[in-house]
């Protein structure tokens, strides 16, 4: 009996020793792993950079320089020069900056502001990735080129200039921007002729940009935020679509509603200010404007999917202040609609969209189809990173479960298609790879710098079958047809014309995928 007791005691002691040893070894290993991760974290991004995406980002960023209006500073595009220097002079405003929206020379405020909002979002989420490949300052400088214009275009609380140039007159010419001689009339919205959609989008742009510049140019950031608040109040007080107040825009950037822009602006103002009144706004106006449960495609015209993902961020990471039950329920509704949208993107999902090509590209519209695939992919990457950063492991899609990496894989598939993994073996990002569109629908790129042509006789450069003499480097063209084919012709406008907002979206997408690291490091818990 005594021997058995001693034996039992020895067994207990041996067991305790083994447990202690295991705990010590576990602690050592944990500490080592933690130390290893910490000591290598500063180098992680550099080691994990995906070279082809780094190259693509440096190319895509250059199209902003191609599109700049005004007095060019540190001009990086050899065939571009100063243009539209007198814009705004008839009302004693300097509206020379800003960017041309596409292949023509009108400055359309609605898509330009959307470009600034998306570029700001890209910088806020992935500025650390941009910085690794030395593109962060370029992105900030391009953003400021637009926000400088927006500030000057808002000379008083209830007045916003939303267009420079007459698109119908502009389209009777084919000339370089540096050679423009025609009149460039101004269009405004005001209390008598409101433009809720364009004013709210401008408010969103300046609120988002105020966050970008908060730590680098605090005074400028404050100016942007002041304008954002005023514009939101103007937009919400005098409600009407700018397409009704200014019927002339209907043939170019027609708006089908303003509720999405009001929610979009309020969401950005909440992030920029922390003021809960903006959170209450998206909550109380959700039933009227959010279309919960019915996802829509993200674009310059419809911001709802962007609103849903942006507000999901609050649902994932919480708020500095208490959120009411009503606000919590509305945030959940935004997130659920975002997830319905995202589930539709996953090819194997039970609710996968059928709107895609045989090669797998999301394809929604024959006019500028790549806008939708890139916009969707950008939102997928952002949401995937929100999931990872909040340790949310599962996306539920009508009975099937998906991991955040599957959203990321979808985005990779779309970007790789754009960069050349397609039936045409063509990159739709001009300047990337060995084969890309040569006849981009872009006036400045199509006309030789030393050409002696004017408004009307310049059309010979539109109709020639020769490649453009100047490369519109970084341009993301409209993209292929539903059959995965592409006709490289300047006259094929729906496929061959690039846009500045396409560039903002693809810069965001590439920046999110540029490293193999998936977690968001900046702009998670402001």
């Amino acid at each position: 009996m005594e021997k058995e007791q001693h034996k039992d005691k020895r067994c207990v002691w041996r067991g305790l020793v083994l447990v202690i040893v295991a705990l010590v070894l576990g602690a050592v290993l944990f500490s080592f792993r933690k130390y290893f991760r910490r000591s290598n974290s500063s180098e992680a991004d550099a080691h994990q950079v995906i070279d082809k995406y780094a190259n693509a980002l440096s190319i895509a960023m250059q199209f902003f320089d191609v599109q700049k209006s005004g007095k060019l500073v540190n001009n990086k595009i050899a065939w571009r020069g100063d243009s539209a220097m007198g814009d705004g002079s008839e009302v004693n405003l300097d509206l020379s900056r800003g960017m041309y929206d596409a292949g023509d020379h009108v400055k359309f405020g609605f898509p330009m502001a959307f470009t600034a909002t998306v570029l700001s979002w890209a910088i806020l989420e992935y500025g650390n990735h941009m910085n690794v490949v030395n593109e962060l300052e370029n992105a900030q400088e391009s953003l400021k080129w637009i926000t400088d214009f927006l500030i000057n275009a808002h000379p008083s609380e209830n007045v916003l200039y939303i267009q420079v140039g007459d698109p119908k007159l502009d389209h009777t010419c084919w000339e370089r921007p540096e050679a423009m001689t025609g009149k460039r009339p101004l269009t405004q919205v005001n209390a008598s002729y409101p433009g809720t959609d364009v004013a709210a989008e401008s408010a969103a742009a300046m609120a988002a940009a105020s966050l970008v510049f908060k730590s680098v140019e605090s005074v400028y950031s404050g100016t942007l935020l002041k304008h954002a608040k005023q514009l939101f109040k103007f937009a919400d007080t005098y409600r009407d679509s700018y397409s009704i107040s200014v019927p002339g825009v209907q043939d170019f950037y027609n708006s089908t509603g303003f509720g999405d822009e009001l929610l979009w602006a309020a969401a950005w103002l909440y992030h920029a200010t922390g003021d809960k009144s903006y959170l209450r706004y998206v909550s109380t106006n959700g039933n009227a404007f959010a279309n919960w449960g019915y996802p829509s495609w993200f674009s310059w015209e419809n911001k709802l999917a962007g609103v849903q993902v942006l507000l999901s961020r609050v649902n994932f990471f919480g708020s500095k202040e208490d959120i009411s039950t009503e606000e919590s329920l509305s945030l959940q509704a935004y997130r659920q609609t975002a997830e319905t949208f995202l589930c539709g993107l996953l090819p194997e999902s039970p609710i996968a969209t059928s709107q895609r090509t045989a090669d797998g590209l999301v394809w929604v519209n024959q006019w500028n189809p790549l806008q939708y695939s890139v916009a969707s992919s950008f939102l997928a990457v952002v949401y995937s990173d929100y999931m990872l950063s909040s340790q949310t492991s599962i996306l539920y899609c009508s009975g099937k479960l998906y991991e955040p990496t599957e959203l990321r894989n979808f985005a990779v598939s779309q970007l790789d298609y754009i960069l050349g993994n397609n039936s045409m073996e063509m990159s739709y990002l001009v300047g990337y790879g060995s084969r890309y569109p040569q006849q981009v629908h872009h006036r400045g790129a199509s006309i030789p710098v030393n050409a002696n042509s004017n408004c009307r006789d310049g059309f010979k450069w539109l109709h020639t079958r020769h490649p453009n003499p100047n490369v519109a480097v970084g341009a993301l063209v409209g993209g292929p047809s539903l059959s995965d084919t592409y006709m490289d012709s300047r006259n094929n406008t729906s496929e061959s014309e690039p846009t500045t907002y396409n560039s903002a979206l693809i810069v965001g997408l590439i920046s999110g995928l540029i490293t193999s690291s998936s977690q968001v490091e900046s702009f998670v818990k402001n």
Side-chain angles (χ1 to χ4, degrees):
M1 184 76 175
E2 192 173 311
K3 287 183 179 179
E4 288 178 359
Q5 288 177 339
H6 282 300
K7 185 178 179 181
D8 289 342
K9 288 179 180 178
R10 285 198 299 273
C11 288
V12 170
W13 279 109
R14 275 201 297 268
L16 286 172
V17 169
L18 288 172
V19 169
I20 292 168
V21 169
L23 288 172
V24 170
L25 285 173
V28 169
L29 286 170
F30 177 79
S31 298
F32 175 75
R33 288 173 63 198
K34 187 175 181 181
Y35 171 78
F36 183 80
R37 286 198 302 267
R38 184 171 65 246
S39 63
N40 285 277
S41 62
S42 62
E43 300 176 7
D45 286 339
H47 287 313
Q48 296 172 350
V49 167
I50 299 170
D51 289 341
K52 67 176 181 179
Y53 294 158
N55 182 28
L57 181 62
S58 68
I59 290 169
M61 202 74 77
Q62 293 180 62
F63 192 61
F64 295 124
D65 294 317
V66 170
Q67 295 301 93
K68 284 179 179 176
S69 166
K71 178 74 175 176
L72 301 186
V73 180
N74 299 321
N75 183 20
K76 302 165 190 172
I77 308 298
W79 50 273
R80 279 302 324 278
D82 300 342
S83 63
M85 291 295 293
D87 282 1
S89 58
E90 65 266 43
V91 292
N92 296 316
L93 294 177
D94 180 6
L95 300 180
S96 61
R97 284 199 173 192
M99 295 184 187
Y100 306 117
D101 77 301
D104 53 24
H105 302 142
V106 180
K107 288 187 280 197
F108 294 97
F110 194 30
M112 192 196 305
F114 177 69
T115 298
T117 313
V118 172
L119 183 56
S120 296
W121 197 1
I123 295 169
L124 291 167
E125 300 290 8
Y126 302 117
N128 55 330
H129 291 183
M130 295 177 181
N131 195 42
V132 167
V133 293
N134 300 315
E135 291 294 343
L136 177 57
E137 288 187 7
N138 290 333
Q140 291 170 332
E141 192 272 336
S142 293
L143 174 61
K144 194 170 186 292
W145 204 269
I146 298 176
T147 53
D148 283 351
F149 172 89
L150 294 176
I151 289 171
N152 290 350
H154 182 225
S156 60
E157 291 191 22
N158 296 335
V159 173
L160 177 68
Y161 286 91
I162 54 95
Q163 187 172 290
V164 182
D166 181 330
K168 291 185 178 179
L169 287 175
D170 185 83
H171 286 187
T172 63
C173 291
W174 192 268
E175 60 188 345
R176 298 177 68 244
E178 296 80 2
M180 286 189 296
T181 56
K183 292 182 178 180
R184 293 177 60 77
L186 305 178
T187 305
Q188 67 168 249
V189 291
N190 52 50
S192 300
Y193 297 92
T196 297
D197 26 33
V198 66
E201 182 60 62
S202 300
M206 294 208 254
S210 75
L211 279 168
V212 171
F213 294 109
K214 190 173 183 178
S215 62
V216 290
E217 290 187 51
S218 59
V219 174
Y220 188 71
S221 171
T223 299
L224 287 168
L225 194 54
K226 175 185 174 184
H227 282 277
K229 291 176 180 178
Q230 290 178 352
L231 280 167
F232 180 75
K233 184 179 179 181
F234 166 50
D236 194 37
T237 302
Y238 301 95
R239 288 188 181 182
D240 209 347
S241 172
Y242 93 131
S243 296
I244 294 173
S245 297
V246 189
V249 305
Q250 293 176 12
D251 293 335
F252 301 94
Y253 284 99
N254 183 46
S255 175
T256 58
F258 55 72
D260 54 325
E261 279 85 22
L262 285 172
L263 296 176
W264 181 235
W268 276 112
L269 277 161
Y270 172 68
H271 283 91
T273 65
D275 184 341
K276 276 197 67 181
S277 67
Y278 295 113
L279 191 60
R280 284 194 297 273
Y281 187 94
V282 298
S283 175
T284 57
N285 287 279
N287 287 326
F289 299 140
N291 207 20
W292 287 324
Y294 298 93
S296 53
W297 296 102
F298 187 44
S299 70
W300 63 264
E301 204 278 314
N302 192 328
K303 320 299 161 46
L304 284 181
V307 172
Q308 291 148 12
V309 170
L310 184 61
L311 290 176
S312 296
R313 184 177 175 275
V314 184
N315 189 265
F316 276 122
F317 303 116
S319 171
K320 290 181 180 179
E321 299 178 12
D322 292 336
I323 295 177
S324 70
T325 301
E326 181 186 1
E327 289 162 353
S328 180
L329 289 172
S330 74
L331 288 173
Q332 190 61 37
Y334 281 110
R335 177 172 168 180
Q336 287 171 349
T337 310
E339 293 190 346
T340 302
F341 168 76
L342 294 161
C343 287
L345 301 178
L346 299 174
E348 304 302 321
S349 165
I351 57 171
T353 179
S354 60
Q355 293 181 272
R356 60 185 91 219
T357 70
D359 283 355
L361 180 75
V362 165
W363 197 97
V364 177
N365 193 305
Q366 67 178 4
W367 194 278
N368 191 13
L370 285 181
Q371 174 187 193
Y372 302 95
S373 51
V374 176
S376 302
S377 301
F378 173 63
L379 294 183
V381 172
V382 169
Y383 200 88
S384 169
D385 290 348
Y386 287 171
M387 291 180 68
L388 286 163
S389 298
S390 63
Q391 298 183 331
T392 304
S393 58
I394 294 298
L395 174 66
Y396 179 81
C397 298
S398 297
K400 291 191 71 174
L401 304 178
Y402 296 92
E403 297 179 350
T405 50
E406 292 176 85
L407 284 173
R408 188 178 181 86
N409 291 341
F410 160 77
V412 167
S413 74
Q414 302 297 290
L415 180 56
D416 285 350
Y417 181 109
I418 290 164
L419 296 181
N421 186 18
N422 55 64
S423 297
M424 297 289 292
E425 297 183 347
M426 172 177 281
S427 162
Y428 294 107
L429 180 66
V430 175
Y432 181 89
S434 58
R435 187 171 183 229
Y436 49 82
Q438 300 295 306
Q439 291 193 38
V440 178
H441 183 93
H442 190 278
R443 298 177 194 185
S446 69
I447 304 174
V449 174
N450 58 358
N452 185 20
S453 63
N454 58 33
C455 165
R456 296 297 174 86
D457 65 19
F459 278 100
K460 63 188 176 186
W461 304 110
L462 168 63
H463 300 304
T464 178
R465 295 184 179 181
H466 297 301
N468 288 348
N470 309 310
V471 178
V473 62
L476 180 65
V477 295
S481 68
L482 182 56
S483 61
D484 290 302
T485 60
Y486 178 82
M487 183 173 67
D488 191 8
S489 167
R490 274 179 293 275
N491 285 297
N492 179 22
T493 311
S494 62
E495 295 182 7
S496 68
E497 186 170 21
T499 62
T500 315
Y501 43 93
N502 276 12
S503 293
L505 289 163
I506 198 167
V507 161
L509 174 59
I510 299 170
S511 298
L513 298 175
I514 203 166
T515 79
S516 54
S517 170
S518 299
Q519 293 207 28
V520 181
E521 293 186 16
S522 58
F523 189 54
V524 170
K525 292 183 180 179
N526 277 328

